Amino acid sequence: MSIELLFENRKLIGENILNIIKDNGYTKSSFSRITDISRPTLNELIKGEVNSLATFKTHIQKILESQNMNEEQLLNYVPKSKTKKELIFALSDNAPENHALNPNAQEMFGILEDIVHMCELYYN
Amino acid sequence: MSELITSKNLEQVIEKNKLIKDDILRLTNDFTVRFNKLGVTGQDKLSFSVLKENHLIQIPIDDEYWGGAIITKGSIKIPVINTAQPRVYQYFVAWHEIYHLFYDLSLRDETHNIAVDMDLNERRADYFAAKMIFGNVYDYYYSLDDEDFIDRVIKCMDVYKAPYKAVLIELFEEAVTKYNDLDLKEKILEHFDNKPENLVQKFIDLELDAELVKPSYVVSLGRLEKKIQSVMKENPDVSHHKDNYQFLLTLKNKIKKGVEGLVK
């Protein structure tokens, strides 16, 4: 099987990568570090939005090596975990409608999301 | 989202409280019986100790409106408190979140989910918080010798460890529904939308502990760090636990750097 075939099915490959991350106890950030793929690129891979075959090849190779998988296993990956619900918030927030979060607050919410994801992995 | 309470809708809020009062008082009794078996007396300590048993995350977020949340993901519910807000807000938010954690029907499993009026739901959480925090604030207010209305309110804030508006709402409810105290009612309406600007200095001037109206900037990730350490110990051959632990420490350092920026 060739990486070109994976490239043609890159939306599905993206979903499979996300399932591999969830099933093996990684966060997107920790997975990006162990595969040496930047977080924005990893997000593009997961969404199936990498449109350059060369870039796609380079990064898929890194994932295959880190997970000790071949192309066929990645294409036909069966998720171990059922799809989890998205984050649900019960907020204590009375901000006006046009209120925008400042960049520091946005960054902290990103960190909080990563922490909650780890809570999900370790408290279940 | 909690509705923004102003002098214009204060009477409507009291009307809503009337509808939910019996139910909320039942829940505050239920809470005391079920969750305060050790007899913790400080309401601030009690709320935080209960939340900590449920993996409370304390994190400073530079936003004046975001007080906290219960984040539900999969089958878990994680309480979060914003420690960049003054402690009085944190104490109130802690009780507000306890309502969501234990009694909010909209956060139950999908199979038990029912249609919930979200505005009323938030009012219920706020009212639960108020009923857990306040004793007889009306009598306490009148026991104070100070003539100045704001000074009295600040002393109520200090004794009950409660936010400015929460004190006024509680006083307003008592004045309107119990004592027909029109003088106090008018004073509250006059001052409701004009919270004193420098509460820290006001506390100092009244010889009160001003820490209450300052942020705590506490950083706590619940028991997550210890949990991962223990899993690493049990499974020394599984590399991703170690990787996740390092990642968690990186996140913690980022948060601490963020705190340094806020304190400056």
Side-chain angles (χ1 to χ4, degrees):
Chain A
M1 184 178 288
S2 68
I3 287 199
E4 282 79 1
L5 182 61
L6 302 191
F7 184 67
E8 282 172 27
N9 292 285
R10 53 192 181 278
K11 287 270 181 204
L12 173 64
I13 294 298
E15 286 169 24
N16 290 352
I17 292 169
L18 187 60
N19 283 322
I20 288 167
I21 291 171
K22 286 179 178 175
D23 287 349
N24 292 286
Y26 298 114
T27 62
K28 280 185 197 172
S29 296
S30 65
F31 192 76
S32 106
R33 284 199 302 124
I34 65 149
T35 53
D36 194 26
I37 300 172
S38 74
R39 180 79 184 259
T41 306
L42 181 62
N43 276 341
E44 284 182 9
L45 276 173
I46 288 169
K47 288 180 190 165
E49 290 175 353
V50 174
N51 292 322
S52 150
L53 176 60
T55 308
F56 184 81
K57 265 187 180 177
T58 308
H59 295 305
I60 289 298
Q61 284 294 1
K62 288 179 185 173
I63 291 173
L64 294 176
E65 278 169 29
S66 80
Q67 299 305 300
N68 202 18
M69 294 175 99
N70 59 36
E71 290 89 344
E72 192 171 349
Q73 286 169 322
L74 177 57
L75 184 65
N76 299 313
Y77 185 79
V78 179
K80 291 178 203 159
S81 57
K82 59 180 181 180
T83 308
K84 296 282 186 185
K85 283 194 283 184
E86 289 303 305
L87 288 179
I88 299 172
F89 283 84
L91 291 173
S92 222
D93 178 2
N94 55 11
E97 272 180 28
N98 56 355
H99 174 66
L101 291 172
N102 70 43
N104 290 339
Q106 280 177 15
E107 189 189 353
M108 212 55 97
F109 279 117
I111 292 171
L112 180 59
E113 192 178 341
D114 281 335
I115 293 169
V116 170
H117 183 69
M118 286 182 131
C119 291
E120 189 189 17
L121 296 174
Y122 285 97
Y123 290 154
N124 268 332
Chain B
M1 181 184 284
S2 305
E3 77 184 305
L4 185 62
I5 302 174
T6 67
S7 57
K8 288 197 177 101
N9 63 9
L10 192 49
E11 301 222 32
Q12 290 165 353
V13 167
I14 302 305
E15 286 304 309
K16 274 189 187 172
N17 286 354
K18 275 188 199 167
L19 298 175
I20 59 178
K21 187 170 186 175
D22 289 347
D23 200 21
I24 294 300
L25 291 179
R26 184 179 59 74
L27 297 183
T28 56
N29 285 334
D30 176 80
F31 178 86
T32 307
V33 172
R34 280 170 62 200
F35 298 103
N36 192 14
K37 292 198 173 95
L38 300 176
V40 177
T41 50
Q43 293 301 76
D44 50 329
K45 299 290 175 200
L46 175 60
S47 58
F48 271 72
S49 81
V50 169
L51 288 175
K52 280 177 185 174
E53 284 170 21
N54 288 275
H55 312 301
L56 172 67
I57 293 172
Q58 295 176 81
I59 184 170
I61 297 172
D62 184 16
D63 189 83
E64 63 178 310
Y65 299 109
W66 202 89
I70 300 294
I71 302 177
T72 303
K73 194 161 197 284
S75 59
I76 62 163
K77 290 179 188 174
I78 302 287
V80 183
I81 300 277
N82 179 8
T83 58
Q85 291 207 336
R87 286 170 175 83
V88 275
Y89 290 124
Q90 292 182 44
Y91 298 146
F92 192 87
V93 167
W95 284 114
H96 179 107
E97 299 310 340
I98 282 176
Y99 172 83
H100 285 306
L101 186 63
F102 296 122
Y103 302 116
D104 184 347
L105 297 175
S106 72
L107 286 188
R108 294 206 175 156
D109 295 343
E110 270 177 341
T111 47
H112 297 106
N113 206 354
I114 60 166
V116 173
D117 176 338
M118 290 313 286
D119 275 351
L120 192 60
N121 200 35
E122 288 305 296
R123 178 90 303 270
R124 288 168 67 88
D126 276 354
Y127 201 49
F128 177 85
K131 290 301 161 202
M132 289 306 301
I133 287 172
F134 291 110
N136 193 346
V137 65
Y138 183 86
D139 282 351
Y140 183 74
Y141 169 83
Y142 274 108
S143 76
L144 297 167
D145 294 325
D146 310 76
E147 290 300 317
D148 186 82
F149 174 77
I150 294 293
D151 289 355
R152 287 182 176 196
V153 172
I154 288 173
K155 287 185 178 178
C156 291
M157 289 175 69
D158 177 63
V159 163
Y160 295 102
K161 294 187 169 66
Y164 177 80
K165 276 193 176 180
V167 170
L168 291 189
I169 294 167
E170 188 69 12
L171 279 174
F172 193 82
E173 180 170 292
E174 293 288 287
V176 171
T177 62
K178 215 167 166 183
Y179 298 103
N180 197 25
D181 185 342
L182 298 179
D183 179 51
L184 180 57
K185 184 183 165 188
E186 286 310 310
K187 274 189 185 146
I188 292 168
L189 288 172
E190 184 190 331
H191 290 91
F192 195 81
D193 301 327
N194 307 312
K195 190 177 94 175
E197 276 182 15
N198 194 345
L199 273 173
V200 172
Q201 192 56 49
K202 290 262 180 205
F203 266 67
I204 293 167
D205 293 344
L206 290 169
E207 300 176 347
L208 302 171
D209 184 356
E211 292 302 304
L212 196 61
V213 278
K214 292 179 186 170
S216 62
Y217 297 121
V218 168
V219 175
S220 169
L221 307 183
R223 295 174 185 162
L224 185 57
E225 206 170 320
K226 283 191 176 163
K227 177 73 183 171
I228 300 178
Q229 280 175 334
S230 104
V231 173
M232 277 164 61
K233 210 171 173 182
E234 284 167 18
N235 308 281
D237 299 331
V238 182
S239 63
H240 70 252
H241 294 313
K242 200 176 168 188
D243 199 51
N244 284 345
Y245 181 66
Q246 287 303 324
F247 179 57
L248 187 69
L249 295 182
T250 308
L251 293 178
K252 206 171 172 182
N253 281 335
K254 276 189 187 172
I255 298 170
K256 286 185 174 168
K257 281 198 175 149
V259 174
E260 286 166 18
L262 286 173
V263 174
K264 275 174 192 169

